[in-house]
């Protein structure tokens, strides 16, 4: 327990370093989360940790209920990615432990192959923050984790800053160089999604799914995605922002944190 | 009619027959007994009468003075006879009406003379016997009926209670129940047998349901997890800055194929779940609100395809429909109306208490319209899973709703609640 306490202290001090100066001396909003990935499938856990660690997060993995509980007792996490079908029991058990004892401040996102509605509701009832059905895009998971973290850590009060772009997630207001910018709901979501997954290529498919969920397959062309991105880009540059969005390989888009 | 009412009625019917026959038997028995008693009395009074007659003969008095309306004595020539009893109709001595009386006739030799004696007597009239028997039987019957009804009441309260309880449990039984059906303990052998049978049956149904449910969940898990892995690996691959445009195109199309596979599996999983009845079809769902929400959700897609939407939705239409399935059904129907439409076309949505009608412009469907609701039936669209309308049909069947498709200048799908 003493060891645990020390570890908790030592990692909480770094937790509050949310801002990092980038080389161009802009404010860049980087989260450094300690994330526990509770997933019995090694490959999938690797995928997730691989993706999230590139974002500067620290990930640890637990392959079963027992391991997960041990880790939760010893360390403090900011985020728990929880598969609810575990070999030694239901992942929902962890949620119960979590709510009672340790890690009460951790955000929880359930990842499950079960689209079972009652599981979803039960999970959210027990205090999970979100629910993602397999298979999912890692960029989607990433965006959601960030949203949860923002909400939990700062009660949505914290502004998201991306160079000269500033977003208030509570009011959904966007400012460029301190000037308000009017975006449609979809454009706003798109911008947030890009910022959450900056410097990564997002496919049209990926973006469409984020914006329209399961209905995206009927968008017989991804022209709509293109249209939205074109509009967003136009609005941002017109407001004086650098043109961070770029088309990659003709099939995807990327938001670069710096324009070379 | 309740079992108890039925048995009581049967008992009463049988009682009527038994009491009827019993009444006749009782009447005859009592009548015979009274007759015998009357005869015995008359025979017993004979010796004294003989003495009297003998005194009268000694004093040489006229025997006809002895006659009354119950007694008739006269001298005859003989010979002496045995006692002879018969029925005769005569004036009742007290009642002033004709009655069947018992008559004793005999010729006796008294003091050397032959005297014929006829005596008539009545203790109880037949009609009295009849009335009494009817009275007794009716009262007994009423008593019995009351007793039967009361007994029935108590039997149902005590004896049939475990049975009623069992019926109640069966009525409330759902295969979805998570715990074993708890049947009341009973000492009645038949009920105990019934209970153990029902208990076994429901347990089996429950287990089969759970097994099937688990199977479809496991299947989903076992398929979606590798898909998620593949999806993730491909996504990690796209992070590689040295990727060529061709490679990226390959990755994207692989991702699309994976996505489609996952969707097909999810749709099949949903169909299995509906077949396994894992939903609540008794739920009262406000379809009006549900449609309004669906239309709202699709608004952007309507705009993108420049579809004109005409929604005539009656307020407050509630239908027995699982909420989740209802949303899926409407989603799929609207989805379908958008997919098989052309740019600048229209969609009409009409809802009233009996129907939901969704019509849309679009080219006529090739082939038999009935095929539309079959699984994996696609109209050349690669993107579609070919399961959307099959799911709608399955949901309608599950809720005993009818669904028709008509093509008549436009596509029209009608759901009848």
């Amino acid at each position: 327990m003493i060891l645990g306490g020390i570890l908790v202290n030592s990692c909480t001090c770094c937790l509050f370093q949310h801002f990092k100066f980038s080389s161009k001396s802009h404010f860049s909003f980087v989260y450094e989360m300690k994330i526990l990935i509770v997933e019995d499938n090694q490959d999938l856990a690797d995928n997730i940790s691989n993706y999230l660690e590139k974002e500067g997060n620290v990930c640890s993995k637990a392959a079963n209920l027992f391991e997960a509980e041990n880790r939760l007792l010893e360390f403090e996490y900011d985020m728990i990615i929880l598969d609810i079908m575990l070999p030694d029991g239901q992942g929902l058990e962890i949620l119960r432990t979590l709510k009672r004892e340790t890690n009460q401040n951790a955000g929880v996102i359930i990842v499950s192959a079960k689209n079972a509605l009652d599981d979803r509701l039960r999970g959210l009832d027990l205090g999970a923050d979100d629910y993602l059905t397999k298979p999912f895009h890692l960029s989607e998971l990433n965006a959601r984790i960030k949203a949860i973290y923002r909400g939990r850590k700062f009660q949505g009060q914290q502004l998201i800053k991306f160079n000269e772009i500033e977003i208030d997630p509570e009011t959904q207001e966007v400012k460029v160089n301190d000037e308000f910018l009017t975006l449609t709901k979809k454009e706003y979501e798109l911008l947030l999604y890009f910022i959450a997954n900056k410097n990564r290529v997002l496919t049209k498919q990926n973006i469409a799914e984020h914006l329209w969920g399961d209905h995206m397959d009927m968008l017989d062309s991804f022209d709509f995605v293109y249209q939205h991105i074109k509009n967003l880009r136009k609005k941002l540059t017109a407001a004086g922002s650098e043109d961070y969005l770029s088309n990659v390989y003709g099939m995807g888009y990327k938001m670069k944190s710096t324009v070379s | 009619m309740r079992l108890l009412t039925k048995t009581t009625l049967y008992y009463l019917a049988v009682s009527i027959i038994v009491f009827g026959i019993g009444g006749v038997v009782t009447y005859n028995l009592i009548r015979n007994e009274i007759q015998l008693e009357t005869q015995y009395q008359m025979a017993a009074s004979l010796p004294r009468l003989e003495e009297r007659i003998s005194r009268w003969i000694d004093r040489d008095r006229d025997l006809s003075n002895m006659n009354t309306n119950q007694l008739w004595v006269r001298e005859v020539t003989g010979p002496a006879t045995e006692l002879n009893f018969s029925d005769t109709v005569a004036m009742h001595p007290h009642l002033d009406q004709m009655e069947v009386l018992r008559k004793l006739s005999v010729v006796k030799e008294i003091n050397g003379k032959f005297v014929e004696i006829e005596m008539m007597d009545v203790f109880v009239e037949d009609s009295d016997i009849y009335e009494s028997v009817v009275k007794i039987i009716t009262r007994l019957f009423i008593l019995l009926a009351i007793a039967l009804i009361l007994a029935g009441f108590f039997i149902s309260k005590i004896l049939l209670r475990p049975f009623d309880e069992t019926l109640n449990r069966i009525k409330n039984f759902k295969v979805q129940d998570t715990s074993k059906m708890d049947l009341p303990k009973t000492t009645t052998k038949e009920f105990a047998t019934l209970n153990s049978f029902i208990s076994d049956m429901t347990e089996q149904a429950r287990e089969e349901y759970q097994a099937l449910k688990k199977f479809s969940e496991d299947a989903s898990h076992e398929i979606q997890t590798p898909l998620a892995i593949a999806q993730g690996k491909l996504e990690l691959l796209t992070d590689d800055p040295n990727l060529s445009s061709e490679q990226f195109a390959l990755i994207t199309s692989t991702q699309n194929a994976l996505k489609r596979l996952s969707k097909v599996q999810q749709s099949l999983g949903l169909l299995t779940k509906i077949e396994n009845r894992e939903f609540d079809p008794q739920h009262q769902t406000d379809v009006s609100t549900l449609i309004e929400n669906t239309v709202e959700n699709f608004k952007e897609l309507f705009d993108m395809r420049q579809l004109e939407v005409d929604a005539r939705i009656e307020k407050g239409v509630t239908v027995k429909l699982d909420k989740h399935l209802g949303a899926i059904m409407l989603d799929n129907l609207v989805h379908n109306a958008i997919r098989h439409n052309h740019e600048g076309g229209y969609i009409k949505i009409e809802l009233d208490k009996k129907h939901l009608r969704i019509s849309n412009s679009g080219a006529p469907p090739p082939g038999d319209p009935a095929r539309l609701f079959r699984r994996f039936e696609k109209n050349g669209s690669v993107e579609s899973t070919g399961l959307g309308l099959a799911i709608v049909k399955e949901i309608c069947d599950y809720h005993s709703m009818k669904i028709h498709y008509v093509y008549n200048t436009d596509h029209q799908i009608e759901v009848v609640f």
Side-chain angles (χ1 to χ4, degrees), chain B residues 93 102 144 193 292 314 378:
Chain B
R102 201 69 184 151
L144 181 75
T193 316
E292 275 161 15
E314 195 178 310
K378 306 196 228 181

Side-chain angles (χ1 to χ4, degrees), chain A:
Chain A
M1 282 315 284
I2 293 165
L3 180 67
I6 293 165
L7 281 166
V8 167
N9 285 339
S10 64
C11 61
T12 39
C13 58
C14 64
L15 278 174
F16 291 100
Q17 293 185 325
H18 306 292
F19 300 93
K20 272 195 161 181
F21 285 99
S22 75
S23 54
K24 287 231 165 178
S25 78
H26 286 298
F27 269 117
S28 163
F29 197 58
V30 174
Y31 303 113
E32 260 186 17
M33 291 177 252
K34 268 186 70 80
I35 301 174
L36 176 65
I37 301 165
V38 186
E39 164 66 61
D40 61 317
N41 191 293
Q42 196 58 42
D43 266 332
L44 194 56
D46 284 348
N47 279 357
I48 298 171
S49 73
N50 222 324
Y51 194 93
L52 295 178
E53 272 172 355
K54 280 188 195 166
E55 301 270 317
N57 302 301
V58 183
C59 297
S60 36
K61 288 173 266 184
N64 52 48
L65 203 63
F66 178 72
E67 257 178 60
E69 275 171 351
N70 272 351
R71 286 197 174 269
L72 284 169
L73 284 171
E74 264 181 77
F75 305 102
E76 196 140 324
Y77 292 96
D78 300 302
M79 188 65 58
I80 297 159
I81 298 168
L82 182 63
D83 182 352
I84 50 173
M85 271 177 126
L86 293 171
D88 53 349
Q90 283 274 324
L92 289 174
E93 291 300 318
I94 292 181
L95 272 182
R96 248 175 240 132
T97 327
L98 209 60
K99 283 294 124 187
R100 269 204 319 270
E101 293 151 24
T102 57
N103 279 280
Q104 281 152 344
N105 293 321
V108 179
I109 182 161
I110 292 175
V111 163
S112 169
K114 279 204 236 172
N115 199 0
L117 192 71
D118 51 340
D119 267 352
R120 185 181 218 128
L121 294 177
R122 207 139 47 97
L124 297 179
D125 265 359
L126 282 172
D129 298 274
D130 208 344
Y131 192 109
L132 207 54
T133 312
K134 286 182 194 173
F136 48 85
H137 288 286
L138 294 170
S139 45
E140 182 70 40
L141 177 69
N142 186 27
R144 294 213 193 179
I145 286 174
K146 284 184 179 170
I148 295 169
Y149 185 63
R150 256 195 331 262
R152 282 199 159 253
K153 212 73 192 177
F154 315 109
Q155 283 79 46
Q157 294 291 319
Q158 187 70 29
L159 302 178
I160 302 166
K161 283 184 185 165
F162 179 83
N163 300 343
E164 65 270 30
I165 303 170
E166 196 180 284
I167 301 171
D168 184 344
E170 200 179 27
T171 56
Q172 307 208 335
E173 280 169 347
V174 181
K175 279 191 212 169
V176 176
N177 293 324
D178 289 327
E179 294 283 323
F180 281 109
L181 181 67
T182 317
L183 295 181
T184 64
K185 193 166 174 285
K186 286 284 183 274
E187 284 160 1
Y188 172 79
E189 283 173 21
L190 197 56
L191 178 61
L192 218 54
Y193 192 51
F194 270 119
I195 292 179
N197 292 294
K198 62 179 169 297
N199 292 324
R200 298 195 121 126
V201 183
L202 299 174
T203 60
K204 284 179 188 168
Q205 163 102 20
N206 197 322
I207 295 164
E209 228 176 289
H210 178 74
L211 293 184
W212 293 288
D214 268 350
H215 299 302
M216 55 77 48
D217 71 289
M218 75 162 68
L219 301 167
D220 34 357
S221 69
F222 292 123
D223 293 349
F224 301 125
V225 174
Y226 170 72
Q227 203 65 39
H228 277 294
I229 289 173
K230 202 179 81 181
N231 290 343
L232 176 65
R233 216 165 158 180
K234 225 192 279 173
K235 282 186 185 176
L236 285 173
T237 49
S241 146
E242 295 272 3
D243 189 9
Y244 299 109
L245 285 165
S246 61
N247 192 325
V248 185
Y249 311 122
M251 308 199 72
Y253 296 88
K254 187 185 204 171
M255 189 167 204
K256 287 177 274 187
S257 52
T258 53
V259 183
S260 47

Side-chain angles (χ1 to χ4, degrees), chain B residues 272-284:
Chain B
T272 314
K273 279 183 165 204
I274 301 171
E275 279 169 1
N276 200 22
R277 318 197 141 256
E278 291 177 27
F279 298 90
D280 174 20
Q282 295 303 317
H283 188 270
Q284 287 286 353

Side-chain angles (χ1 to χ4, degrees), chain B residues 287-288 291 312-320 329 350-357 396 399-404 413-417:
Chain B
V287 185
S288 310
I291 295 184
R312 283 176 224 167
I313 297 161
E314 195 178 310
K315 290 259 174 240
V317 176
T318 52
V319 173
K320 272 188 188 168
M329 179 171 91
E350 293 160 83
L351 173 80
D352 57 41
K353 286 193 177 58
K354 285 259 144 274
H355 313 90
L356 166 67
R357 210 171 291 126
C396 285
H399 293 88
S400 321
M401 296 173 182
K402 286 200 175 66
I403 184 160
H404 315 281
I413 291 180
E414 186 185 59
V415 178
V416 185
F417 304 138

Side-chain angles (χ1 to χ4, degrees), chain B residues 206-219:
Chain B
R206 232 169 46 78
E207 269 166 18
E208 273 169 20
Y209 168 83
Q210 291 296 348
L212 196 59
K213 188 174 173 203
K214 182 149 187 340
F215 174 78
S216 68
E217 277 166 7
D218 286 351

